[in-house]
Structures are given as structure tokens and as C-alpha cells.
Amino acid sequence: MNHIICHTHWDREWFATSNITNSWLRELFERLFILIEKTPEYTFVLDGQTLIIEDLLENFPEFEKKLVAAIKSGNLIIGPVYSQIDFRIASEAAIIKNFEIGLKDMEKFGDLPKIAWMVDNFGFISQLSQLLRMYGIVAVFLWRGVGIENPTIEFVHESIDSSRVLCVFLIGGYRNLYGLSLTKDIAKKRLIHEIKKLEPFSLTKQIPLLDGYDLDLSPEDPFELLSRNDETVRSSPEIFLSHIDESLNIPVVRGEMLSGKYACVFPGTLSSRSYLKVEAYYIEKMLRYCDFLSIFGGESVEDLWRRYLKTLIHDNICGVAIDKVHENMEKTYRELYRDLKKFLLSKIGNLGASNFKSGSYALCFSPYEYNNWYCDGRRCFFLKSKGVGFYRIEKVDRYRNDNTLVWKNDFYRAELKNNGIMKVNDFSVGYLELLKEAGDSYSSFTSPLDFSCSVKSIEIESAGLNHKIIKMKRKLRSRNAVIETEEKIVFDKTPLIKWSIVTTSKGKNYVLNFSIKMKNSGSEVFAKMPFEIVRREKETYEFIDEELLERLKHVLIAAREVGKVDEYPFQGFVSLSFPGRTVALMAKGLRSYRIDDSKLSVTLIRSVEWIAKKNVKGRIGDAGPLIYAPGAKCDRTTRFELAVCDVNVNVKSTEFMKWFNLFDDQPLKIELKNNSCCRNSKILFLSKLPWVCVKESKVFVYNPFDEIVEHILPGKISTVSLNPRKTAGEKNSVLVRFVDFPSFPSRAGKKTSSANMQKTIKDKINKINEEIKDVKTKLKNIEKNTKEYRFLLHRFFTLYRTMLELKLSLPLLKGRLPEKLVWKLNEVRSKKRISDYIVELMEEELLWSMSMRFMI
């Protein structure tokens, strides 16, 4: 059976800002309600995210009555998530909150989640199925990330806890029947052609045909052009799945879905505008802390979560939008930083009013126990804690004269050399490397680059019996870039060597990596990802054999990755692991690592100039708009927090996780003034499992280990109960101040003159305009709707779209975003995409007729 599903994919911020796209919602929904009134059985999928509804009602509240009726009647299908976040980049708390808030929004309309609609996310974590099952979702429609060797539309995904969901792989994309009303004369032919292409890949003979596209404002009813029959039906995700015979031998896929061989997952987005990812990291930490403390009484932080989750949508956090979008993101982060810091102080004050006497305290958010001398980069104190809670600081380290660049404790011996490289046990760390970047914001393609790295100064900032802090300045220079660093290396009695790097960068088209080199290359690679620690290969290749490629050549229209992949996602740490030993490189907020034999690198900065370019090596096809984005060069000052850890334990052990959590959830030092109380500490939550976020009086935790811990099975996401004593309403007489609270981690540099680039863009526009004129002339002399005409029209739309993208670059350089130009670009993009499918159909017919002539 052939299923036609109408939908939209709503990129609310990409080549336009949300204030523009939100204004377009009126037209979209006016047309939708007309369709529903005209055809009561019409159904439409609202991109699987409830944020569209929130935007609509905030801007056009008069639509609420019709909207509620359409959702309750099943004409509009919403949820199950709040926003279409990037699962590779968003961390555990954001993922959980995204489901929780999406579910809450659905419940307002009397709806319940059944099926997830995730048709353009840039890949998926291996715990996707468990997460979906937690919220009653049994199936998911998806496209990117699937790397199954023998692709089928139907497959089952299994998480490490054995949770399974049925997956519908949209191998032909989520727009394969888009825009029939603009191709009326060949509507039926397009339908038959798409069915013919997809039939060989369907085990159950159920064919998904999707009528919809990005920011499409003209939803249509395909059956106004197509005759109804038993073989082709008006469908929905639920109807489609009701026809799947799960008793068939449907293949099972386990683990991560990060392959781009059938549709790009754009690995370059892991490192594009890394400053945004770092900023997002600190905001989410503050959100988690405020969220946790809110269960002890006080207001909810749900509205702050909503503001934050909007920035984690794939086009936003991936760094592939126009500068204006990312500037607005930074503004949001700064506002959230201010609001959350105020909220955090208030909550600490409420708790402190009834619990603690005056003094210095460590507010710990790591759930583990510590009994160690700990240095936060400014002060060294003895940390004696038992999980999340408040602990009075009784002992601080005494300072002494020590001018050596050596430190030794129970875990390692480290010595910083004059060239800025540190020898730690049997490996070296601290390499700063520049590579040449020929990619764009979506895709990276690097090659060696001649550069110099000089040490400007090394000095001891502080030393004691239990800590040492070394300051270092370095300067890197290449033909395209100049980067200055201010670095701080912190030693204490833990196995962590903390390495803070403040970079001030200026340049373009380069990658800056921070690396560790091992002498022994016989290691396995493990990376922390949401809710688990995954084992990875050191290198992978995206490859389709010739026989399969021949079968797929008319199916795979979108961009895909080819060749070697050398950029991988991680969250928190990536390790080189040996039997009984783990050497890990940790980082706050960074999301991209590369590995070359025994060299492990995390990407600090990846500087590019264009959202998308043509002919990027390693990628076949069209990625996004050719819009100049100077902000993507990353000319700014950014603070990166890293650490190295060498411990004689397995990477999947509570001992290693304990030290990682001390880095990732470092204690906050606070000063309390309160003369009415005498308590010295308070334990709020103790566990051997990492905690994620809270819901009412429950804490989400997960078990990333290979053994049962605290009655929770390996790989399982679960909740544990708390019985907090409410403090709301108590008189708050305590004075609280943070000691060295982490500052906002990034600051944009001065904008440089763009006169040369304006000229370059104008020259490109003039050249394309000449081509457009030539194509227009030829179109006038060709009979309409012939094959030659359609091929030429496709060329016209391709050129016209590119010309509009370049035209939009010019006002963007001056900080302006003309709505009419954006509207026109969106209109032409849609026509070009429809034309892609027409041309593919024509090419197939042409090949068929040529083969028939050859046979005759």
C-alpha cells in the first residue's frame, strides 16, 4: 500500500530569524484550516514538535479555538517533543526536559505520544529507543543517521537496555512527493515513479510518500490531483504503522545512528561555532542546579528550560544559521546566565537560612563521595563530601615557594617543558595544532598547515603542599590566523590535571585542536555520550558498494558523506583505554574529537566563512544556503575548560565516573553569613550513579556501567525518589555570595571591515545574473513542459536560488535582514526542490528510453 503523508518541517531559525518565520505561521495555519474544513479526513503532521504551537499561540492567539479542535479531531498531529534538538550535542538533562515539556504540551490538548517524527535530526544516540519507550512511544519516522548495510524502510532499533522501537527509514527523504499542485500535468507520473523507486526497499510493501518541505506555507491535498484507490491512501504515521506486519523478519539495528552514507549527518556541525556549544554547556549546568534545588521549595524553572531548548534545535546549536540567529542565541544565553545566577543565589539563601552557620562552603553537585585536596584554579581546599549537598570548608592549603614545573601525586608525575608540552606518566599533552579548513559550517575537510607555536611565558601562579597552578601564554600564527592563548594548568591531589585555555583568535578557514599523544597505540576508544559510554572505532568510512549504489542512484537525492570520517561526537570525555587503565581527555561543552593512531585531539575552534559551499570534499550534494557568515570565523575570546585523567581502572567504572563528575560538576564555593544556625553540612543526594535532572521529587539517573549499580541494570535510565523538606516561606535572613563563580565563557571580538567580501559577493552575483539571463532567453525559445524545458528550468531555479542567497549576504553584513528578500528566497528554494524531483524523473525516463533503443 502507498501512504501519502502531508507534513511540514519547520526550521524556525536558519536563513531567517524566528520573528520572521513566526509571522509566516498565520498563512500556514489559515491554509491548513481551510483544507481541514473542506476535507474532514485530511491529516497534517506538525513536524513532531510542540514549539510550533507555542509560537503560533504567542503570535496569533485568535487561532486557539480552531487549533484545539483540529488536534482533538486528529487532523493535526503534534509532538511528542518540544523542539527538534540535536541529540549528538544536547546533553542528558536537555533531552529529558525536551520530552517532558513536549508531553506536557500534548496533554493540554488531550493527546498522548505514540509515534516520534524526527525526519531531519542530524543523527541519533544509541539510547533513543529506551527514551522513546519511557514516554510510551513505540515507533519513529527518521531519515539521517541510518547506516544499515542492506537498507530497508522498516527496521527495529534496539538500545543497550534491550528497549526496541520500530523505525521507518525515509530513504527517499521527507519531501519525495512535495509540491504536486505545482506539477499537475505529471502528478500521477511522479507518484508512480516514487513508488517504483521505493518498492525494492520495503519489506512489508508499505511505501511512505511525503508531501511537505522546510518552511512550506502552502500545504496541499494530493488527492485533489490523484485518483483514490485501494493501493494509494491518505495516511498518517499511525495509519502507516498499523499496516506493518512486525512478525516479518525485520532487521535490528543496535547502537548509535551517526552514518551519513545515505543522508548527511554533517560531522562538521559538531565543531562549528564551538563557542555556542560552550556557552550552552554552562547555561545547562546552571539550569540543572536550579532545577535540583527547586524541589526543596520555590518556583519552577520550566520557562527557563523552554527558552534554552529553543537554542538546541539542530540548525541553531549546530552553528549553521545566519549570524543574526546566532547573535540572538548569545543574547538569550547571557540573559539566562543572569537570571539563573540570581535564581541560584536565592535558592541557596533559602536553604542556608535554616541550616548553616556563617563560613565558607563547597556546594557540590556531584553525587559521589570525596575526601581529597581539591584546587578549583584559584584556591585549594580539602573537599570532604558525601554526594550533592553543602559542605563546610575547614582546611585550606598553605602556600610555599616552588618554582619547579613538576608535580607528583599518587596518580601521576607531570612535568611541563619549556615548549609548552607536558609529560605525564608515559604520554604527552598540551599540543596545539592548526589545520587548514576547506569546508563550511556543515562539513569539515582539513589538510596540514604550516604554522608556528611559540611560548611567550611560563610562571608559577600559586603553589602549596597540596596544589600547584602554572600560567602559560602561547601564540600560534599561520598565513590565515593568529591565535593568542592564556593558559592555566592546575594540579592537586586528585587524578585530574585541569587545563584552562583562553583563546583570542583572529583569522579564517582553520581548525585549532588540543591534543594528547600516547606512546602505546594499542588502546580502545571510548566516548561519553548521553546516558552511556560508547566504544568507537578509530576510523570509519562511508561507503556504498557499486551494486547497491546502482539501485540507490535515483533514490538518494539529498547530500551524503563519502570517504573517511575523522570527526566524531562526544560529551564530557573521550578516552584511550587499556586493560585496567584509562587515559581520558575531558572537556566542558566541546563536542568534536578526532583520532589518529595514538594521537587524540579535541577541536577548540573551527573557523569557516560560509554556511554552505559548493563541492566540499567528503560530501556529495547540496547542504544549505550559500550565505556568507563572518561570525562563523570565530574571531573572539573564548574560555575552554579541559582536563586530563590517568587512572588504573576501567572507563566503565564508578571510580572513573567519580573523577569525571568532579571535573564536570566542580564544587561551587560560597560564603554564608548567618548567625542563627550552627549546621556545618547537609547531604541532599548521594549515589554511585550520575544524575540528570529532577521531576517533582524524583531524580533521573542512568547506569553507564557494565554491572548492576544500586539495583539499576546496566544501560538503564531510571528515577530515584527524594523526600525533600520544603523551605518555601521561611524567613531568609542569610547573606550569600559566590566565590569565583564561573564567568560567561565567551566574548565576541570587534567586527572587521567587509568591503573586500562585499565586492567578491557582488562579482559572484553579477556572474550568476549573466547565466540567468542566458537561461531565460533559452527558455523563451523552448516549448513548455518538454524534457529540455524542465531541465533548463531546473538550472534556472538553481541559479536563481544561489543568486538570492548571495544577495541576502550583503544586507546581513550590515546587520539587516530584509523580510521580502527572505520570503522570496524561501519561495524559490521550494520551487527548486520540486524541480529536483522532476529532473530526476526525467533523467530516469531518458535512461529507460535510451536502454530500449539500445535493445532494439
Side-chain angles (χ1 to χ4, degrees):
M1 186 176 290
N2 312 310
H3 298 257
I4 300 179
I5 301 174
C6 297
H7 76 106
T8 185
H9 175 53
W10 197 255
D11 288 323
R12 71 192 293 271
E13 291 189 308
W14 185 23
F15 58 86
T17 51
S18 59
N19 65 309
I20 291 178
T21 58
N22 283 345
S23 70
W24 296 351
L25 288 172
R26 174 185 288 279
E27 181 171 338
L28 170 65
F29 278 87
E30 282 177 345
R31 294 185 178 187
L32 273 176
F33 293 140
I34 290 171
L35 279 170
I36 291 169
E37 185 177 347
K38 181 180 178 182
T39 310
E41 66 271 25
Y42 184 82
T43 58
F44 193 84
V45 181
L46 282 175
D47 199 31
Q49 55 175 333
T50 62
L51 176 54
I52 297 178
I53 296 170
E54 181 178 285
D55 284 339
L56 176 72
L57 295 181
E58 281 183 1
N59 290 275
F60 308 106
E62 65 271 21
F63 282 116
E64 183 172 5
K65 187 175 180 180
K66 285 186 176 181
L67 179 72
V68 171
I71 293 171
K72 288 187 174 181
S73 64
N75 295 105
L76 292 183
I77 299 170
I78 65 172
V81 295
Y82 174 65
S83 65
Q84 291 291 6
I85 63 175
D86 189 291
F87 283 89
R88 307 163 307 161
I89 297 173
S91 57
E92 292 96 354
I95 292 171
I96 291 288
K97 291 294 180 180
N98 198 41
F99 277 107
E100 292 283 337
I101 293 173
L103 178 62
K104 184 176 181 179
D105 287 349
M106 292 183 72
E107 288 176 340
K108 288 179 185 176
F109 299 98
D111 205 353
L112 289 173
K114 305 177 186 72
I115 299 160
W117 185 264
M118 298 174 172
V119 298
D120 200 32
N121 306 72
F122 298 167
F124 298 94
I125 57 176
S126 69
Q127 289 283 45
L128 177 68
S129 294
Q130 182 176 180
L131 288 159
L132 294 176
R133 282 288 184 175
M134 281 170 54
Y135 294 99
I137 301 164
V138 299
V140 57
F141 282 69
L142 46 76
W143 178 33
R144 303 185 189 275
V146 179
I148 186 170
E149 288 189 15
N150 297 306
T152 55
I153 289 171
E154 311 90 342
F155 71 91
V156 171
H157 182 258
E158 183 177 272
S159 288
I160 55 176
D161 74 323
S162 299
S163 297
R164 289 186 170 192
V165 294
L166 181 62
C167 299
V168 179
F169 176 27
L170 303 175
I171 191 170
Y174 60 83
R175 51 189 179 238
N176 58 344
L177 209 64
Y178 169 57
L180 284 183
S181 60
L182 296 179
T183 57
K184 294 179 181 179
D185 58 317
I186 58 170
K188 187 174 182 180
K189 188 182 287 189
R190 281 186 63 191
L191 171 70
I192 294 170
H193 180 58
E194 291 302 319
I195 294 168
K196 179 184 174 183
K197 287 195 302 183
L198 295 177
E199 273 182 338
F201 302 98
S202 176
L203 298 173
T204 62
K205 303 307 173 188
Q206 307 300 315
I207 309 299
L209 303 162
L210 274 68
D211 188 347
Y213 185 47
D214 309 349
L215 295 172
D216 176 29
L217 306 180
S218 304
E220 60 188 11
D221 181 2
F223 285 97
E224 290 182 350
L225 301 167
L226 302 171
S227 58
R228 302 172 186 233
N229 57 65
D230 293 337
E231 295 299 317
T232 301
V233 299
R234 184 192 308 280
S235 193
S236 68
E238 191 170 353
I239 292 172
F240 183 95
L241 289 163
S242 70
H243 287 81
I244 299 292
D245 183 358
E246 294 190 53
S247 66
L248 295 174
N249 187 24
I250 297 176
V252 177
V253 173
R254 296 177 178 85
E256 299 174 296
M257 291 186 284
L258 299 176
S259 173
K261 68 180 179 181
Y262 302 126
C264 276
V265 293
F266 306 117
T269 58
L270 299 169
S271 52
S272 289
R273 298 184 189 256
S274 57
Y275 64 90
L276 287 173
K277 297 164 175 64
V278 172
E279 291 172 5
Y281 166 88
Y282 284 97
I283 297 304
E284 183 162 331
K285 282 295 173 190
M286 296 170 73
L287 268 167
R288 284 179 70 237
Y289 300 162
C290 291
D291 198 38
F292 185 92
L293 295 179
S294 69
I295 66 176
F296 294 88
E299 60 186 296
S300 166
V301 290
E302 182 184 308
D303 287 343
L304 300 179
W305 273 112
R306 287 178 183 265
R307 284 163 60 188
Y308 175 66
L309 288 170
K310 292 174 187 177
T311 72
L312 296 188
I313 297 172
H314 53 284
D315 293 316
N316 293 73
I317 198 61
C318 285
V320 297
I322 58 173
D323 283 352
K324 199 79 172 172
V325 166
H326 297 307
E327 288 164 4
N328 289 342
M329 284 176 65
E330 278 204 277
K331 182 180 178 183
T332 296
Y333 288 151
R334 288 186 177 276
E335 291 172 350
L336 283 169
Y337 176 87
R338 179 198 63 213
D339 294 345
L340 287 164
K341 186 175 181 181
K342 182 179 178 181
F343 186 97
L344 197 54
L345 277 170
S346 172
K347 292 305 302 176
I348 294 170
N350 285 342
L351 286 168
S354 59
N355 287 295
F356 309 109
K357 64 181 180 180
S358 296
S360 297
Y361 289 81
L363 173 53
C364 293
F365 285 97
S366 170
Y368 295 91
E369 294 187 54
Y370 300 98
N371 195 25
N372 300 85
W373 284 97
Y374 172 82
C375 183
D376 61 7
R378 295 176 178 85
R379 296 167 181 82
C380 182
F381 57 91
F382 191 76
L383 177 63
K384 188 175 179 62
S385 65
K386 290 187 177 182
V388 180
F390 294 81
Y391 303 95
R392 188 174 175 86
I393 297 173
E394 304 284 0
K395 295 188 290 184
V396 295
D397 198 18
R398 294 183 178 181
Y399 295 93
R400 64 176 183 175
N401 290 327
D402 183 352
N403 294 320
T404 67
L405 301 180
V406 177
W407 181 258
K408 185 177 180 180
N409 62 21
D410 293 339
F411 300 96
Y412 62 82
R413 182 188 185 276
E415 181 177 2
L416 183 65
K417 304 294 183 181
N418 289 330
N419 62 359
I421 307 302
M422 181 182 294
K423 179 78 174 354
V424 183
N425 294 337
D426 60 348
F427 63 91
S428 300
V429 65
Y431 297 92
L432 291 177
E433 176 187 37
L434 283 177
L435 298 172
K436 184 179 180 181
E437 175 60 85
D440 52 27
S441 64
Y442 285 94
S443 303
S444 175
F445 186 82
T446 60
S447 57
L449 177 67
D450 289 333
F451 72 96
S452 63
C453 180
S454 58
V455 176
K456 296 300 182 183
S457 66
I458 298 178
E459 62 181 84
I460 306 296
E461 180 181 89
S462 173
L465 290 172
N466 301 291
H467 83 286
K468 182 177 288 187
I469 302 173
I470 301 176
K471 291 173 64 176
M472 175 170 61
K473 292 183 179 181
R474 289 191 272 185
K475 187 171 186 176
L476 294 90
R477 185 185 293 273
S478 73
R479 185 176 180 181
N480 290 341
V482 176
I483 300 170
E484 295 183 341
T485 73
E486 294 184 9
E487 304 172 54
K488 186 178 287 189
I489 305 164
V490 178
F491 306 100
D492 53 28
K493 293 297 186 178
T494 73
L496 300 170
I497 300 173
K498 296 176 280 293
W499 201 307
S500 173
I501 306 176
V502 177
T503 62
T504 300
S505 53
K506 186 175 177 60
K508 60 183 180 180
N509 301 322
Y510 67 87
V511 170
L512 174 65
N513 288 332
F514 180 89
S515 305
I516 179 174
K517 292 182 181 179
M518 299 287 299
K519 288 183 178 179
N520 187 345
S521 61
S523 60
E524 291 186 304
V525 179
F526 287 87
K528 184 186 173 300
M529 290 294 286
F531 308 103
E532 67 171 328
I533 299 168
V534 298
R535 184 188 176 280
R536 294 250 179 83
E537 298 297 325
K538 290 189 176 181
E539 60 181 31
T540 56
Y541 288 84
E542 298 295 15
F543 172 75
I544 305 175
D545 67 57
E546 291 185 11
E547 181 181 344
L548 178 58
L549 189 58
E550 180 64 25
R551 292 171 56 208
L552 287 168
K553 67 180 181 181
H554 291 286
V555 177
L556 305 178
I557 290 182
R560 57 190 181 86
E561 273 102 36
V562 293
K564 183 179 178 180
V565 176
D566 65 353
E567 191 167 8
Y568 304 90
F570 80 107
Q571 292 195 14
F573 70 81
V574 58
S575 71
L576 298 172
S577 297
F578 307 86
R581 183 190 179 193
T582 299
V583 178
L585 186 51
M586 304 174 179
K588 296 183 178 181
L590 297 175
R591 292 294 185 256
S592 170
Y593 78 88
R594 302 165 189 250
I595 192 159
D596 180 11
D597 193 25
S598 59
K599 182 176 77 171
L600 172 63
S601 306
V602 295
T603 300
L604 304 182
I605 304 171
R606 193 170 75 84
S607 170
V608 295
E609 293 184 276
W610 298 86
I611 293 179
K613 298 196 304 189
K614 309 298 180 185
N615 304 317
V616 173
K617 290 185 179 180
R619 184 182 77 211
I620 292 176
D622 193 1
L626 183 68
I627 294 177
Y628 184 66
K633 292 191 294 182
C634 301
D635 287 350
R636 59 175 48 234
T637 298
T638 308
R639 185 181 76 251
F640 301 101
E641 300 288 346
L642 303 103
V644 182
C645 182
D646 185 2
V647 285
N648 292 322
V649 295
N650 189 301
V651 67
K652 290 189 176 185
S653 66
T654 56
E655 177 70 10
F656 175 77
M657 187 59 71
K658 164 186 171 178
W659 297 118
F660 167 67
N661 269 253
L662 184 59
F663 167 74
D664 197 46
D665 283 310
Q666 71 178 51
L668 296 177
K669 282 194 68 179
I670 56 175
E671 292 285 341
L672 297 179
K673 287 188 178 181
N674 185 1
N675 297 322
S676 61
C677 297
C678 59
R679 181 174 290 191
N680 286 326
S681 66
K682 182 177 179 64
I683 301 171
L684 303 177
F685 176 63
L686 175 64
S687 176
K688 291 184 179 180
L689 295 172
W691 71 276
V692 177
C693 56
V694 301
K695 180 183 179 181
E696 297 172 347
S697 61
K698 292 186 177 181
V699 180
F700 281 92
V701 297
Y702 64 96
N703 182 356
F705 312 120
D706 290 332
E707 59 187 10
I708 297 174
V709 177
E710 296 178 353
H711 308 294
I712 295 176
L713 294 172
K716 197 71 177 175
I717 305 167
S718 187
T719 58
V720 294
S721 296
L722 285 177
N723 293 304
R725 184 174 68 87
K726 301 294 184 181
T727 59
E730 295 181 3
K731 186 178 180 181
N732 181 4
S733 59
V734 68
L735 296 175
V736 185
R737 74 177 183 90
F738 286 116
V739 179
D740 301 325
F741 190 81
S743 60
F744 197 74
S746 186
R747 182 179 73 252
K750 292 182 179 179
K751 291 187 178 181
T752 56
S753 173
S754 56
N756 290 337
M757 183 50 67
Q758 287 186 48
K759 183 179 184 307
T760 299
I761 292 170
K762 287 177 181 178
D763 289 344
K764 288 177 181 287
I765 291 171
N766 291 335
K767 185 177 179 181
I768 292 174
N769 267 328
E770 290 301 315
E771 292 186 69
I772 289 174
K773 288 178 184 178
D774 183 54
V775 171
K776 278 185 174 180
T777 302
K778 291 178 180 178
L779 282 170
K780 290 178 181 178
N781 299 318
I782 300 175
E783 184 180 347
K784 286 188 176 182
N785 297 333
T786 61
K787 286 184 174 62
E788 187 179 359
Y789 181 87
R790 292 188 192 278
F791 279 120
L792 206 55
L793 190 62
H794 180 263
R795 177 63 180 161
F796 168 76
F797 285 134
T798 302
L799 289 168
Y800 194 21
R801 183 192 67 174
T802 302
M803 187 266 290
L804 289 174
E805 290 167 351
L806 289 169
K807 273 193 170 183
L808 186 58
S809 297
L810 294 174
L812 284 172
L813 282 172
K814 298 177 181 179
R816 294 187 293 106
L817 185 58
E819 291 190 37
K820 288 184 179 179
L821 183 55
V822 174
W823 176 280
K824 187 64 178 177
L825 173 57
N826 193 50
E827 183 181 57
V828 174
R829 285 182 65 256
S830 298
K831 291 179 179 178
K832 193 270 179 186
R833 188 58 70 194
I834 296 168
S835 187
D836 287 344
Y837 285 95
I838 297 172
V839 166
E840 186 275 319
L841 170 62
M842 298 295 116
E843 287 176 342
E844 176 78 349
E845 288 184 339
L846 189 60
L847 287 172
W848 183 84
S849 63
M850 289 175 64
S851 64
M852 289 299 293
R853 285 199 298 270
F854 177 75
M855 289 173 67
I856 293 171

